[in-house]
Amino acid sequence: MFTHIDEKYGYDGELGAIYAKDKTEFKVWAPEAEAARVQLYKTCRDEDPYRRLPMEKGADGVWRKTAFGDLDGIYYTYVVTYDGIEQEAVDIYARSAGVNGAMGMIIDTKACDPAGWDKQDYVKLEKYTDACIYELHVRDFSIDKSGNFCYKGRFLAFIEKGLVNAAGDSIGIDHIKELGVTHVHLMPCFDYCTVDESDVHRPQFNWGYDPQNYNVPEGSYSTDPFNGRTRVAEFKRLVYALHREGIGVVMDVVYNHTAATADSSFNKIYPKYYYRLWGDKGEYFSNGSGCGNELATERKMVRKFIVDSLCYWASEYKMDGFRFDLMGLYDTETLNLISGRLKEINPNVLLYGEGWTGGDSPLEWGRRAMKLNARSTPDIAFFSDDFRDTVKGNNFENRDKGYVNGATGNEEYVKEIMCGRIPHPQIPNLTKFSWTDTPAQTVNYVEAHDNLTLWDKLYYTNSTDSIEKRIRMDKMAAAMVFLAQGIPFIQAGQEFLRSKPFPGGTVFDHNSYKSPDAINSLKWNRKSEFKGVFEYYKGLIGFRKAHSAFRMCDKDSIGEMMRYIDKLPQRVVGFVLYGDNEFEEIVVFFNPNDYPVTLHAFGSYGVYIDGDNAGNVPLRTVEGDYELDGLSTIVLGRPRQVPEEVYEAPATD
Ligand code: CA
C-alpha cells in the first residue's frame, strides 16, 4: 500500500541528527506528515524543551532543520503532526539517548572513542567455518557473586582482567580467551525496552528482544543511564577489550519487530509505514514475530533504515558480525543488500540468523530468509535446528532423545548433520533434503539461550543415569559440534554444564527471558567444579582450530575428502577426513551405546580425542584392534610424514 510513496519519495541520503562542531542538521523522513519540529532539552530529566525548532519539508519527503552552535550532549525529540494531532517521538536514527531511551541525544561519537581505538581493527576471519561462536548475555557474564567483578552487570565487566573464582581459576574475559573461541556473540546490546534504566540497582533482568532505539547501546549496562555519552563510550570499551584479545564481537540484532507497536517512534513518525499490515485496508498490524508486529523489510525506507543501522554499528563500533533474530521475517533481497554493504566495510564480517519466523506473515514464502531458501542468500548462515535436534532430541519435547542420549536408528541423520547439511554422495537419500551447498551456511549447535540448556535437557531425558554418564553424553554432543563441518556455536557456560534450575533443582527453566539472575547468571565456580568438562571443550576448540579438515567450505571437496565408514557396530558413526593441513588422515568415531565396541585401525595412529580428554597432543597410539568406550568419541590422527631431507640444520659459525 506504500508502493507509490516509495516511488515518489524514496530517499537515499543520510538521516538523523548530523553533528558538526558548529552546527547540527536534523533530517527526518515523513512525506505525509502535516508538520514537524525538533525539540531540544538540556538534560534527559527536563520536562520542557528549551528550544522548539520548526522543520521544513523538501520535495523528497524529508523534513529538515539546521541548528547552529555546538549541540554535543543535547537531548532532542521530534514532534510530528498527522490529522492535526501532534505526537512526540524519538528519532529512529538517534545515536544515543537519555534514560530509558525516551529522548535522543546529539552526540559527537568520536569523542567517546577509548584511547587507541583507531589502532585496532576487526578480527580476521578468512572463512565462516573458521569461527567458533560463544553466545553471551552482558548481565549474565558478571552478575553472580561467584565472580568478583567491579562492574557487575555492566559493559565494563569485559575490561576486567586477572579475576579468578574461589578455586583460583580464571573467569571473565580471561576465561573466554582461555577457552579459545574466536567470536563472542552478545545478546541484545541496543537500547531495549523492559529494564527500567532509572533504577538499575534494583535487580532486573531481560534478554532484550524488545527493541526501542536500534542505534543506541542499552543504558542499563552502562554506569550512568542518564548520560547518553556513557553508554556509547563504555560499549566501545567492551569491543576494544575483546579485540585486544583477538576475539571478534557479534551483535544480536532484532530488526524483525519493535517492542511498541502503535505508539512506537516508527509509527509516530510515519504511521503504519514501517510495519507489515493485513486486512482490506491494511487496518491491522501483522504479527509474524509473535511480539505484536513485524517490520516491513521489503519497503524502501525500512530496508534503508536496517542497512544504515547495521553499517553504523559495523563502522562506528567495529562490530565483527551480526546475528539476526527471526530472520525468516526478512526478505532475501534485503539480506543480500545487507551482506553486500557490510562486506564493503569489513570483508571478514560474519552473518547468521534464525531461519524461521515467530508466527504467520504476509511475506511470501519464496522471499523469506528461511533455511529452505538459504541458497538465495549465500553470504548468510543459518542455525541448524536439524543438528540440535538430531544430537540431543526435539527441542520442545523435554524427554525426547537424540543420538547422544539414547535415540536409536538415526545414524543416517547424524551423517547428514556432520557434513553440514550439504549433499553428500554417500547419503543420496538425504541429499534431497539438504538446504545448502556449503557448510559456511550451517551453524551447528546443541544449546542456545532459548530452550533448555543441554545439561538440563539431559536431566529430563536421562534422569535415572548417573551424573558421570550424563557428562559423557554432554562431551559427545560437544565433540559433534566442534568436529562437524559448519560453524560451531555454544552458549556461554555450556563448557561448564550451564544449568537453569528453578528453586528445588529438579525443574528447569526453558524460557528464562525475564527470569531472575539466580537462574540466568553464569556461575563461575562451576568452571572448577566441572573442570574436566571445561578442559574437554577447550581441547576440542584447539583441535578444530589446528586442523583445516574440519573447516572445509564446499560440497565437492567434502564429497571427496570426508568419507563415511561402512559396516560399523550398531549406532556407531565414523568418518575419515583427508586433505588436512597437518594430518594425512583424521578418523572420527562416535559411540552412543553405553557399552564399548571394538574397532580396527589400519596402521598406527595417535589418539587426540577420546571420551575423557581432547587436545593437540596425542594421548596414546593405536594400531590394529582397539576398544572405543561407551558414550565416547575417538579421534585418530596420522601426521603427514615429512621427508628428512626437508630438514635444514641452522647455520653455525
Ligand atoms: Ca533501555
Side-chain angles (χ1 to χ4, degrees), residues 64 70 73 91 94 159 284 304 328 353 356 398 466 488 616 631 646:
R64 291 175 171 81
D70 187 350
D91 184 0
I159 69 170
Y284 306 108
K304 171 181 163 58
W356 50 77
N398 288 356
S466 65
N616 287 321
L631 296 170
V646 170

Side-chain angles (χ1 to χ4, degrees), residues 100-101 191-195 197 212 218-220 231:
N100 284 327
D191 180 29
Y192 60 79
C193 196
T194 320
V195 168
E197 299 178 3
Q212 188 170 0
E218 164 59 16
S220 65
R231 56 181 76 193

Side-chain angles (χ1 to χ4, degrees), residues 600-612:
H600 188 84
F602 295 91
S604 173
Y605 291 84
V607 177
Y608 291 83
I609 294 169
D610 63 14
D612 300 310

Side-chain angles (χ1 to χ4, degrees), residues 155-167:
F155 291 137
L156 288 185
F158 285 79
I159 69 170
E160 296 186 57
K161 286 181 65 72
L163 301 184
V164 292
N165 64 12

Side-chain angles (χ1 to χ4, degrees), residues 17 51-52 61 74 237 266 304-305 381 411:
R51 287 182 79 185
R52 294 180 174 84
I74 295 294
R237 289 184 74 185
F266 288 88
K304 171 181 163 58
F305 173 77
E411 298 87 77

